[in-house]
Amino acid sequence: MAILVIAEHDHTSIKAATRNAVTAATKIGGEIHLLVAGSACAAAADAAAGLAGVSKVLVADAPHYADQSPENLAALVVANAASHTHLLAAATTCGKNFMPRVAALLDVAQISEIIGVESADTFVRPIYAGNVVATVQSADPVKVITVRATAFEAAGDGGSARIENLSAGPDLAQNKLVGRELSKSERPELTAAKVIVSGGRGMGNGENFHRLLEPLADRLGAALGASRAAVDAGYVSNDYQVGQTGKIVAPQLYIAVGISGAIQHLAGMKDSKVIVAINKDAEAPIFQVADYGLVGDLFEVLPALQAELG
Amino acid sequence: MKILVAVKRVVDYNVKVRVKPDASDVDLANVKMSMNPFDEIAIEEAVRLKEAGIATEVIAVSAGIANCQETLRTAMAIGADRGILIQTDVELQPLAVAKLLKAVCEKEQPQIVLCGKQAIDDDANQTGQMLAGLMNWPQATFASKIVVAGQLATVTREIDGGLETVEVPLPAVLTADLRLNEPRYATLPNIMKAKRKPLETTHPATLGVDVAPRLKTLKVAEPPKRTAGIKVADAADLVMKLKTEAKVI
Ligand SMILES: Cc1cc2nc3c(=O)[nH]c(=O)nc-3n(C[C@H](O)[C@H](O)[C@H](O)COP(=O)(O)OP(=O)(O)OC[C@H]3O[C@@H](n4cnc5c(N)ncnc54)[C@H](O)[C@@H]3O)c2cc1C
Ligand SMILES: Nc1ncnc2c1ncn2[C@@H]1O[C@H](COP(=O)(O)O)[C@@H](O)[C@H]1O
């Protein structure tokens, strides 16, 4: 019996969050297998084989895995679930999409976004926007789990797993990808960044957001994030959103600018090591979680900060 | 075509919940309850599809205690035509809800089921996907735009890297993300009208569904609290502290 981690990848390399899911698997204990379902994905399979702690990589290479449709992925995972005690995936938008489908097809519960492993059947997960953590125990024969990346270290390289080919599952052809509009950026990825500069409604408009926060982010080698209000108002695109329903981040340094600190926003960033808040309202709830609070008008503070940093 | 919308009664999003002294569960006594915000968005979308002449009937379904009737009345005040309450006092987990919704789908034969992307109490983000799997239907989750033409839904989805657009043949399960629409406020006349709309009550046993929970909550706790730090005087002070004290830049 082994643990199967479903890898997220772009057919050539493995996404960072999968490494955190592998670490969660090592905490459960047992042999770890990685499933790579893709199209012309030999490079991703090789990369998967190099992950520390993984003993076997299962590869299903077929054109109908090119777009990672949840129907096809779920069917493949279900067909290969037998002989695995646990099925794990990172709690990314991809993992959250297909894993519950897997669980339903296996007639088992899914344990969403675990942040801790107590034992092989008991896990810790946040509920109520992270205001409460629940310890839950599963009696199901196979545990279907998604893993919150920020709660586990990233597994390193240095492994040499054997690669085994799987026969592809059916092409259900239920979901046709029409197009993707992906944000392109030279900056680090939000969920992997060591420093994040995040802007809220206080930025006033998109022009201010970019003009004032980009140079700061560049100077600090930071990723840019945003509150929901900033995204809703169109300052930046949806993939910037940090929070209960956006991205969960835990950088070394999180700088919140013009963000009030609603619980739904805090849910996404309160595990950051150091939090800085810049807000003109001294009563803003963000100051209750900030290590360093600066009460002031961001239109004055940000240029001054930039000047100080040189 | 019929559209079925799943609406959950949850703690209002403004409430900061507390843990019971015995750590068995969260304390929901005297706490304000509301419709899950994502489900409000789902209802709004279904009603707009009806107003656009695409849907013929919008049915709201809620599973849980008798008070879920209020949630269904809210859905009908926004514009759902009727409501179905699947009443039970058992704690419902997403797999059980998906099975209940499946039973309703088999009876009502909707072309689209709209769910919220996630319930803000359990933060599970599972039910829609599970229902799609059980029905063997396609799914399009985290929708920020839905266009229905004939037997096809074109859905723009919010994903980690940005947006993607997919086409799914109907019937299908779609789940609503925050930016799909801005739900209307129910007007007083519509709230009054909703009181007279049909509300049917059924039970898990009648639908032949075993809703026994699969996960046992051993305990709940409040996470370690972050305490407020210090206020810095100005940008220079901040940079100095980040360099010498926090050592993060
Ligand atoms: C179901 C649900 C899910 C949600 N999910 C998320 C989520 O994932 N992420 C998220 O962020 N939110 C989420 N929200 C929204 C959340 O409740 C808040 O509405 C949102 O976070 C507010 O964003 P904000 O802090 O930018 O705006 P506001 O609350 O309007 O705060 C703006 C702040 O800027 C300050 N400000 C204004 N001008 C200046 C200036 N010149 N200088 C300095 N400071 C200034 C103000 O003092 C204020 O504190 C969700 C809500 C719901 C209901
Ligand atoms: N008890 C319930 N009654 C009706 N709908 C529900 C219920 N539980 C979950 N749902 C639906 O499923 C969505 C996702 O819930 P969850 O999987 O619990 O995060 C919700 O937004 C609702 O649309």
Side-chain angles (χ1 to χ4, degrees):
Chain A
M1 298 299 265
I3 300 171
L4 185 64
V5 179
I6 296 94
E8 189 166 336
H9 61 86
D10 58 4
H11 309 281
T12 46
S13 62
I14 301 294
K15 291 271 166 74
T18 297
R19 293 178 179 270
N20 309 90
V22 167
T23 300
T26 60
K27 301 238 185 290
I28 296 169
E31 209 180 306
I32 300 172
H33 299 167
L34 222 58
L35 174 66
V36 177
S39 172
C41 60
D46 283 340
L51 256 59
V54 176
S55 64
K56 185 158 78 172
V57 175
L58 303 169
V59 186
D61 200 327
H64 60 275
Y65 299 125
D67 302 332
Q68 305 282 296
S69 85
E71 299 85 357
N72 285 344
L73 274 185
L76 178 72
V77 174
V78 168
N80 292 282
S83 82
H84 291 102
T85 53
H86 299 73
L87 307 176
L88 268 66
T92 56
T93 48
C94 175
K96 288 173 178 175
N97 194 22
F98 77 88
M99 278 299 255
R101 193 172 174 110
V102 169
L105 292 171
L106 294 171
D107 191 27
V108 299
Q110 174 183 287
I111 308 154
S112 295
E113 294 224 40
I114 62 161
I115 56 170
V117 174
E118 298 272 287
S119 70
D121 68 3
T122 305
F123 308 91
V124 183
R125 59 175 304 264
I127 52 178
Y128 292 93
N131 284 313
V132 179
V133 288
T135 305
V136 296
Q137 186 176 41
S138 160
D140 283 323
V142 47
K143 278 66 171 166
V144 174
I145 294 169
T146 61
V147 176
R148 179 171 285 191
T150 51
F152 299 91
E153 299 285 314
D157 291 313
S160 55
R162 63 180 191 284
I163 297 181
E164 207 173 273
N165 287 310
L166 289 180
S167 41
D171 181 7
L172 300 170
Q174 284 177 313
N175 206 314
K176 189 170 137 212
L177 180 69
V178 181
R180 283 196 180 125
E181 264 177 67
L182 302 181
S183 290
K184 280 186 212 71
S185 166
E186 300 295 308
R187 294 199 183 79
E189 211 187 310
L190 198 46
T191 48
K194 292 221 158 30
V195 181
I196 295 174
V197 175
S198 233
R201 201 199 310 265
M203 298 308 299
N205 58 46
E207 203 259 306
N208 290 341
F209 193 104
H210 293 288
R211 179 174 58 85
L212 292 168
L213 296 183
E214 273 174 10
L216 183 60
D218 289 343
R219 172 65 184 76
L220 297 171
L224 278 178
S227 70
R228 173 191 172 188
V231 176
D232 284 3
Y235 304 173
V236 286
S237 54
N238 63 284
D239 47 299
Y240 285 64
Q241 183 174 315
V242 171
Q244 181 185 18
T245 53
K247 294 202 169 101
I248 309 293
V249 300
Q252 293 292 306
L253 174 61
Y254 187 91
I255 306 181
V257 186
I259 293 178
S260 61
I263 52 171
Q264 294 86 5
H265 188 79
L266 301 185
M269 44 64 78
K270 69 175 160 48
D271 292 330
S272 304
K273 185 158 171 277
V274 174
I275 297 174
V276 170
I278 300 170
N279 197 304
K280 68 176 179 192
D281 173 11
E283 302 301 314
I286 190 77
F287 288 123
Q288 291 164 19
V289 299
D291 300 285
Y292 299 104
L294 178 41
V295 180
D297 186 336
L298 67 91
F299 295 99
E300 286 158 23
V301 172
L302 288 175
L305 192 56
Q306 197 76 32
E308 282 300 325
L309 288 165
Chain B
M1 72 169 74
K2 280 190 203 175
I3 301 185
L4 200 80
V5 186
V7 294
K8 185 177 188 187
R9 179 176 182 271
V10 297
V11 168
D12 187 84
Y13 79 95
N14 278 313
V15 173
K16 192 163 180 298
V17 294
R18 304 242 168 267
V19 167
K20 284 186 187 164
D22 69 355
S24 62
D25 204 348
V26 292
D27 191 354
L28 295 184
N30 304 317
V31 163
K32 183 179 178 207
M33 304 295 284
S34 299
M35 187 190 296
N36 185 38
F38 292 96
D39 305 354
E40 247 182 283
I41 296 171
I43 279 282
E44 173 68 31
E45 193 67 13
V47 171
R48 286 187 193 185
L49 286 167
K50 189 179 172 199
E51 288 166 348
I54 291 163
T56 49
E57 191 184 28
V58 176
I59 309 163
V61 186
S62 191
I65 60 170
N67 285 347
C68 296
Q69 282 186 20
E70 293 162 18
T71 317
L72 290 168
R73 293 291 171 203
T74 307
M76 291 188 272
I78 296 172
D81 297 291
R82 59 187 168 98
I84 301 174
L85 168 64
I86 309 166
Q87 195 178 326
T88 173
D89 290 337
V90 177
E91 175 215 332
L92 293 174
Q93 294 178 348
L95 181 64
V97 176
K99 288 179 179 179
L100 293 170
L101 292 174
K102 174 174 188 254
V104 175
C105 281
E106 280 161 357
K107 181 157 167 261
E108 298 285 350
Q109 305 277 323
Q111 288 295 293
I112 296 176
V113 178
L114 266 165
C115 292
K117 125 170 157 176
Q118 114 189 30
I120 61 163
D121 50 2
D122 63 18
D123 280 334
N125 194 334
Q126 300 176 7
T127 308
Q129 297 89 312
M130 286 185 151
L131 172 64
L134 296 176
M135 296 301 290
N136 196 20
W137 287 357
Q139 67 187 54
T141 52
F142 323 149
S144 65
K145 187 172 173 208
I146 296 173
V147 179
V148 178
Q151 278 306 298
L152 206 64
T154 304
V155 179
T156 304
R157 307 182 53 237
E158 295 205 358
I159 57 171
D160 287 335
L163 296 171
E164 81 172 20
T165 304
V166 298
E167 279 175 7
V168 291
L170 303 181
V173 178
L174 315 180
T175 76
D177 214 321
L178 289 173
R179 278 168 284 276
L180 181 57
N181 60 51
E182 243 181 84
R184 71 195 68 184
Y185 286 102
T187 60
L188 195 58
N190 285 340
I191 292 171
M192 298 313 288
K193 231 168 52 196
K195 293 199 165 116
R196 291 188 302 274
K197 289 186 181 176
L199 196 164
E200 171 197 342
T201 300
T202 180
H203 299 89
T206 320
L207 297 171
V209 176
D210 173 9
V211 293
R214 299 297 186 84
L215 298 177
K216 190 163 129 200
T217 300
L218 301 182
K219 64 167 191 226
V220 298
E222 279 173 27
K225 281 240 174 344
R226 256 194 115 97
T227 43
I230 55 161
K231 293 264 163 55
V232 294
D234 52 24
D237 191 14
L238 176 61
V239 170
M240 194 268 287
K241 293 220 160 61
L242 290 178
K243 278 188 176 152
T244 59
E245 202 176 271
K247 299 191 170 68
V248 283
I249 59 172

